Amino acid sequence: MTVAEAERDESAGDFVRSIVRDDIAAGRTAEVVTRFPPEPNGYLHIGHAKSIVLNFGVAEEFGGRCHLRFDDTNPVKEETAFIDSIQADVRWLGYDWAEHLHFASDHFDRLYEWAEYLVRQGKAYVDDSSADEIRAMRGTLTEPGTESPFRDRPAAENLDLLRRMRAGEFKEGARVLRARIDMGSGNINLRDPVLYRILRASHPRTGETWCIYPTYDFAHGQSDAIEGVTHSLCTLEFADHRPLYDWLIDNLPVPARPRQYEFARLNLAHTVLSKRRLIRLVEEGHVAGWDDPRMPTLAGLRRRGVPPAAIRDFARRIGVARADNLVDPALLDHCIRDALNDTAERRLAVLRPLKVVIENWPEGRTEMLPARNNPNDPGAGSREIPFGREIWVERDDFMEDPPRKFHRLAPGREVRLRYAYFVTCVGVEKDADGEPVLLRCTYDPETRGGDAPDGRKVRGTVHWVSAAHPAPAEVRLYDHLFSVPEPGANGDFLDDLNPDSLVVLNDCMLEPSLAEPGDAPVQFERQGYFRPDPASRAGRPVFNRVVALRDSWAKIRAKGG
RNA sequence: UGGGGCGUAGCCAAGCGGUAAGGCAACGGGUUUUGAUCCCGUGAUCCCAGGUUCGAUUCCUGGCGCCCCAGCCA
């Protein structure tokens, strides 16, 4: 964590932190212990990042610890591959759980003992009803449920049945263990919730050891208690489960008294974060995979080139509260630019090339011109880039008949070529469609490096690449995956896919230093931050646009300026 | 005539009875060999209506609106 990040944390004052602070002040908590509890059945996304940053952040700020605990209670959905990818993602985000890697399945023995305990106390019973029958007896949101005919089974019979469930005597779905709470409760979670079910599935960690598995409700709070978690932070949809969480803690001989607190999950405009929808995007081929740079997954963000520090910063800036929210992705973009502005080296790259011939430049002559790697950071040093008679400039930097506020190339206008010379456009050649294909310019030899000795100013500076030193590349430009803020608000979310979320440019020209790029994101001056994609091949780099630079000219143009 | 949660500027979000922080966005302006960065400036009476109080975004009452819950998912 950087100093700036630490300072921000120092002043952070969300409701979770104020609860923790109060608990410490009142002596209720000696050491703060939190946990990030993913189910290993999918990839982590930026919504999980909010939870990770919160849990690890709170622990760090208060000198406690944060566990990584997998809630692996449903072997039919969970896979080892996700256990690995999730750990990699959390590490990449910048967090370390030290020796506290836990699994709910580590606690299966103890959980089972506690199930028997509840049975002996008359607080749980084995129900022979089918799933359909249980559903029917649960009642509705407005009507109370009805008690199961098996609800008053003697404890001894329940115990025998539970043991036989565990021993594998019954087929899947034949019986369940239920808590004996209150079928008339307005809170459906208290209408005798299922604690254990029979699942004939091989578990990624325990293999064939078990054929009964605890539900989330029975596993989560008890795992918290076993691990000494003090503050169990989860999202709002679990608020209804808190009475059950507390009931179990109250009725079991657990070694500690964890407390659950809920906060609002992150919603990001112009994207989707639900597991179900993300799966559809991947499986139906709307994106190239879980790590498609347009995906809000950590894998996707990583591949796009988003620095983990930017995600941490974003997670802190959105805050933690209990109100539903829909965060503007412009905030994430800002955090990314903010992180990259300080660190990314600058380079010149032409995305949509337009050839320029400098008519008064001698044929065959090449000059090496110094260029700063980061004008905002003198320590970043400089490099030399070749300049010659033929160069490429950006197609958008030329207009034959420009509006007054256009500060770039146009017939008769003089501009500065970044780090090179002033040039004046003296002619245009166009193709049959009237599209410019070549600009004829003259340069002023007195302006080497970009300053005129006579003090004259030019309004615009444009980037360029020497045509005699080509480093061709493919560049992929990304935009929001969905064209509307709330995909699916009016029908199928797939109807809202943005058809222009990916634009592939095949004829880009990079300055020679980019022919074999490193791994770090760089800024293509005046355009944005870009990072090499794993699809790069020798002699043919592929760059992903991480985020575009702010573009006030685009705004002026959009307003008809 | 179920239970739970939430409503402060376009978007997040502080505020905990004393007269509305901050960030993003937007819009002005300055600096600038990136129309970038950086720097300055501009916006709310707090869902509504009553009430308590010298004073309410903060307390009370009543409305209105939005979200979550009827998996042997998490």
Side-chain angles (χ1 to χ4, degrees):
Chain A
M1 179 178 291
T2 67
V3 173
E5 286 176 329
E7 282 171 356
R8 234 185 318 271
D9 285 342
E10 205 63 41
S11 59
D14 56 70
F15 80 97
V16 172
R17 277 171 248 253
S18 84
I19 286 168
V20 172
R21 228 183 318 262
D22 289 350
D23 286 344
I24 291 171
R28 285 186 292 270
T29 302
E31 182 183 25
V32 176
V33 182
T34 57
R35 99 273 90 113
F36 172 61
E39 182 188 15
N41 72 339
Y43 289 89
L44 260 28
H45 56 65
I46 194 163
H48 294 109
K50 174 179 181 177
S51 175
I52 294 167
V53 173
L54 205 217
N55 277 293
F56 279 91
V58 165
E60 193 172 295
E61 287 156 48
F62 293 94
R65 62 176 199 263
C66 180
H67 299 182
L68 174 62
R69 181 176 75 236
F70 286 94
D71 260 345
D72 56 347
T73 56
N74 187 356
V76 321
K77 292 189 174 179
E78 297 153 7
E79 298 172 21
T80 304
F82 292 125
I83 293 174
D84 298 335
S85 72
I86 287 169
Q87 292 185 62
D89 284 348
V90 176
R91 278 205 194 87
W92 174 75
L93 236 202
Y95 296 99
D96 181 8
W97 51 88
E99 71 271 33
H100 288 288
L101 172 63
H102 301 289
F103 293 81
S105 56
D106 292 342
H107 313 313
F108 279 176
D109 286 320
R110 189 102 71 109
L111 291 171
Y112 178 77
E113 284 173 28
W114 285 340
E116 288 203 353
Y117 178 89
L118 280 183
V119 166
R120 279 188 237 101
Q121 301 291 308
K123 288 172 180 164
Y125 62 96
V126 171
D127 195 330
D128 301 357
S129 308
S130 69
D132 284 345
E133 288 166 335
I134 287 178
R135 187 181 315 118
M137 288 187 287
R138 186 150 35 225
T140 70
L141 293 179
T142 53
E143 297 160 331
T146 52
E147 297 184 349
S148 164
F150 303 96
R151 195 172 199 262
D152 294 316
R153 249 171 179 156
E157 186 183 340
N158 283 320
L159 199 52
D160 174 61
L161 254 12
L162 175 59
R163 287 173 177 168
R164 289 166 61 193
M165 277 171 65
R166 178 189 186 179
E169 290 190 25
F170 312 119
K171 63 180 192 303
E172 188 164 307
R175 284 177 233 260
V176 292
L177 180 72
R178 291 227 258 170
R180 199 169 186 282
I181 306 180
D182 177 9
M183 290 307 293
S185 174
N187 182 342
I188 289 176
N189 293 297
L190 261 20
R191 317 239 263 232
D192 291 9
V194 171
L195 268 22
Y196 264 94
R197 72 281 213 202
I198 299 170
L199 254 26
R200 301 285 181 175
S202 180
H203 186 284
R205 305 260 311 164
T206 62
E208 316 298 324
T209 306
W210 297 87
C211 64
I212 60 173
Y213 293 91
T215 55
Y216 162 84
D217 287 305
F218 193 63
H220 200 90
Q222 283 57 258
S223 296
D224 286 340
I226 291 167
E227 296 172 20
V229 168
T230 55
H231 299 261
S232 186
L233 312 177
C234 62
T235 46
L236 240 30
E237 59 269 32
F238 290 98
D240 287 344
H241 293 244
R242 181 159 23 97
L244 174 54
Y245 184 106
D246 290 337
W247 185 91
L248 289 165
I249 293 294
D250 287 340
N251 286 284
L252 255 10
V254 293
R257 152 106 257 175
R259 294 282 182 182
Q260 171 183 305
Y261 300 94
E262 312 87 21
F263 62 93
R265 69 188 313 152
L266 167 68
N267 295 298
L268 237 200
H270 295 284
T271 190
V272 293
L273 293 178
S274 90
K275 203 167 280 182
R276 194 199 108 243
R277 288 176 165 186
L278 291 173
I279 287 171
R280 279 193 69 189
L281 289 176
V282 173
E283 292 189 342
E284 296 177 17
H286 300 106
V287 295
W290 287 99
D291 66 344
D292 186 301
R294 293 168 292 179
M295 290 283 275
T297 51
L298 295 187
L301 294 164
R302 177 168 58 229
R303 180 166 179 177
R304 204 168 101 202
V306 175
I311 297 174
R312 278 182 250 130
D313 187 30
F314 172 73
R316 294 191 187 93
R317 291 196 197 217
I318 57 176
V320 179
R322 291 175 66 89
D324 290 338
N325 58 78
L326 182 63
V327 176
D328 186 342
L331 177 59
L332 211 211
D333 289 346
H334 174 268
C335 293
I336 296 169
R337 289 191 200 100
D338 202 35
L340 258 18
N341 181 42
D342 297 332
T343 57
E345 293 202 346
R346 273 56 169 171
R347 292 292 183 271
L348 300 186
V350 175
L351 268 26
R352 297 177 176 88
L354 173 60
K355 177 76 74 70
V356 172
V357 176
I358 299 166
E359 301 195 308
N360 58 338
W361 184 277
E363 297 268 5
R365 175 170 147 218
T366 294
E367 262 185 31
M368 296 305 287
L369 299 164
R372 279 164 289 170
N373 287 328
N374 187 340
N376 297 346
D377 174 16
S382 63
R383 65 193 186 284
E384 299 215 312
I385 47 182
F387 182 80
R389 188 167 201 268
E390 297 198 347
I391 60 173
W392 302 104
V393 297
E394 205 67 52
R395 171 65 190 83
D396 289 348
D397 284 337
F398 172 78
M399 282 184 87
E400 190 170 17
D401 186 20
R404 201 170 61 250
K405 289 179 180 172
F406 188 77
H407 301 157
R408 309 176 185 183
L409 279 164
R413 293 213 190 166
E414 182 173 52
V415 301
R416 169 169 37 238
L417 295 176
R418 178 81 159 156
Y419 295 127
Y421 294 90
F422 285 11
V423 294
T424 301
C425 178
V426 297
V428 193
E429 288 181 16
K430 293 181 283 185
D431 64 15
D433 299 325
E435 281 297 304
V437 293
L438 183 103
L439 301 185
R440 298 193 176 282
C441 294
T442 57
Y443 86 109
D444 177 353
E446 300 300 310
T447 57
R448 188 176 200 273
D451 284 306
D454 63 5
R456 80 178 184 280
K457 302 293 183 190
V458 292
R459 302 297 299 272
T461 299
V462 303
H463 56 279
W464 54 274
V465 166
S466 168
H469 306 79
E474 173 181 330
V475 172
R476 300 172 180 174
L477 307 180
Y478 303 103
D479 196 357
H480 300 143
L481 243 186
F482 294 88
S483 49
V484 301
E486 292 187 83
N490 299 301
D492 187 351
F493 78 107
L494 293 174
D495 293 340
D496 296 324
L497 276 165
N498 174 9
D500 302 317
S501 62
L502 168 63
V503 172
V504 178
L505 268 20
N506 286 300
D507 307 308
C508 308
M509 295 296 173
L510 315 179
E511 66 166 76
S513 69
L514 251 17
E516 287 178 39
D519 202 39
V522 296
Q523 185 195 94
F524 290 177
E525 293 211 24
R526 304 210 301 135
Q527 310 196 83
Y529 295 95
F530 295 78
R531 166 161 184 258
D533 187 86
S536 296
R537 283 172 288 120
R540 178 71 180 174
V542 175
F543 278 85
N544 294 317
R545 183 171 68 191
V546 189
V547 65
L549 252 30
R550 290 184 64 194
D551 186 355
S552 54
W553 164 243
K555 290 174 190 169
I556 295 169
R557 190 180 39 192
K559 285 188 295 190

